[in-house]
Structure formats: structure tokens, C-alpha cells
Amino acid sequence: MEHLEARGEKIDWCLVGEPTSTSQVGDIIKNGRRGSLGCQLTIHGVQGHIAYPHLAQNPIHLFSPALTELAEIEWDQGNPYFPATSFQVSNINGGTGATNVIPGDLNIIFNFRFSTEVTEQQLRDGVEAVLDRHQLNYTINWILSGKPFLTPPGTLVNATIAAIKDATGIDAALSTSGGTSDGRFIAPTGSQVIELGPRNDTIHKINECVNAKDLDKLSAIYEGILKKLLG
């Protein structure tokens, strides 16, 4: 995208072949995606003997009230296109493995899937305000995987819905659910971006596969989209 931008080339319409369909090909069109903001957080305590807690600071105990507060925050209420922003802890680790040692550090990994109702900076500021309010000693590393994007009904969305109807007879639904995609790199340039692909019932499973007949249906749908956009 940076190369195209440097050459002054713009993409008007972009179709990403993500596996968006559920029951049958073409039933779901992704016309946007939530943003993904990850965080690696370490709470620093003081390691010590379980029998002498007054000589140590248990980072697990120290972080527990802050975690409860973070999990209960309503970051936003979403909008007609996006569900409310979610906060989820994926990993939490502390301790040496011994039963009689208070850990010195607690390592937490968590993630926000966020809507267009809140910014990356607002989420970062909100989390750090909670940590500071609880007077925690911490090290934090933020990783932004992608910002949210949305392509509202318009030229590309309407052409895609019509092409699916012509090829399959079904009425496609719009959705912004699921994970991130390469659309997050293209949408910021001003392009209309949708995602439409095969069924996702085996996604990330052992023996992940695509039905060959689904590709024939997709080929007909893609051709129909091109005809409606360029015809």
C-alpha cells in the first residue's frame, strides 16, 4: 500500500477473499472489522517466602482489584455496525512453580477488539489510569494490530449484494464480526473494502479445507460484481 501511495495510485474498490460465509457461500459479507489492540503487561512485586508475606509484595494480589475493575468497564456501547468494545485476558502467569514462594512479577496478556466508537489512545489511557489509580508498579507494551474500518452501504456493497442474489438466490447479510484481515491495511487509504469468501466452518481447525464447489460459486459471484461495477 505504501508503494501504491508513493506512485499516486488509489484503490477505489477492494474485495478480500476471507472465508466469511457460514451456512452457504454468499450468506455473509464483511463490510468492516473491529480494531485489535493487544497488551503485554507486567506487574512488579517483591519476591519472598510465603511464610513471611510482610517481607514481600505479591503482584497477583496487587493486580486483582485492578483486573476486576478493567473487566467491568463499559468502554463503549457500540453502534449499528459494531458491537461494544470487548476486553479479554488471554494469558496470565506468575510464580516460580514452588508452593512456598511469593512471585516477584505477574505477566498478563490481554486484548481489546474495539469499535469505531473509541480510539486506540482512549483505550490505552483508560487502562493506564486504572493501573495508576491502584498505585501499581508496572511495565506495559502495547501492540496495535489494526484499527477498525467500515464500508457502509454504497457502490461496492450494493453491487456485491446484487451479485450474490443473482448467483445464489440468497439475500446476503452485512457483518463486522470476527477477527482482523488484510482489509485493515487497505481501508485507511479511502478504498471501499468488503470481504467475501468461502465458508468458515473449518477455519483454524485440523484438516481446514474449502469445498471446491464453493469456489465455483464464488467465481460466479465475483464475475457478477465486476460486471455491475464496470459494466
Side-chain angles (χ1 to χ4, degrees):
M1 294 310 303
E2 293 173 354
H3 183 64
L4 291 177
E5 288 283 299
R7 285 166 41 178
E9 296 186 23
K10 294 287 186 180
I11 296 177
D12 297 317
W13 307 306
C14 175
L15 189 155
V16 181
E18 282 280 328
T20 60
S21 303
T22 54
S23 300
Q24 54 184 319
V25 171
D27 59 355
I28 299 292
I29 301 168
K30 303 289 187 181
N31 66 318
R33 293 283 191 173
R34 293 173 295 174
S36 177
L37 177 64
C39 184
Q40 299 169 333
L41 172 65
T42 299
I43 304 298
H44 303 293
V46 177
Q47 184 173 310
H49 196 293
I50 286 285
Y52 303 95
H54 59 288
L55 300 178
Q57 291 182 336
N58 193 321
I60 299 174
H61 295 184
L62 295 173
F63 180 60
S64 293
L67 175 58
T68 298
E69 183 174 342
L70 289 170
E72 293 178 348
I73 292 175
E74 183 181 67
W75 302 93
D76 61 57
Q77 296 182 331
N79 58 37
Y81 293 103
F82 290 95
T85 292
S86 68
F87 165 86
Q88 290 293 320
V89 174
S90 59
N91 290 269
I92 184 164
N93 298 285
T96 65
T99 61
N100 62 344
V101 178
I102 294 172
D105 289 325
L106 176 67
N107 298 305
I108 308 102
I109 298 176
F110 61 85
N111 180 269
F112 285 101
R113 292 302 165 100
F114 63 102
S115 76
T116 51
E117 293 297 306
V118 67
T119 67
E120 168 209 357
Q121 193 61 50
Q122 287 174 321
L123 295 174
R124 293 173 56 155
D125 291 345
V127 168
E128 292 176 20
V130 171
L131 300 177
D132 292 341
R133 186 161 55 251
H134 287 271
Q135 299 181 330
L136 296 172
N137 179 16
Y138 63 91
T139 301
I140 195 164
N141 179 36
W142 293 98
I143 304 102
L144 178 66
S145 299
K147 295 181 179 181
F149 69 89
L150 177 70
T151 298
T155 305
L156 181 57
V157 170
N158 295 341
T160 304
I161 291 174
I164 292 171
K165 183 71 171 180
D166 291 345
T168 68
I170 64 177
D171 296 312
L174 300 178
S175 173
T176 61
S177 65
T180 58
S181 81
D182 286 346
R184 68 187 188 275
F185 302 115
I186 302 163
T189 67
S191 171
Q192 296 180 44
V193 178
I194 60 104
E195 300 168 21
L196 173 64
R199 288 178 291 166
N200 56 22
D201 52 326
T202 64
I203 190 168
H204 289 355
K205 295 181 180 180
I206 296 173
N207 297 325
E208 181 176 352
C209 61
V210 172
N211 190 311
K213 292 182 179 179
D214 287 354
L215 299 180
D216 293 333
K217 293 179 183 178
L218 278 173
S219 178
I221 294 171
Y222 290 171
E223 182 179 359
I225 294 171
L226 288 171
K227 288 180 177 179
K228 293 181 184 301
L229 291 174
L230 305 176

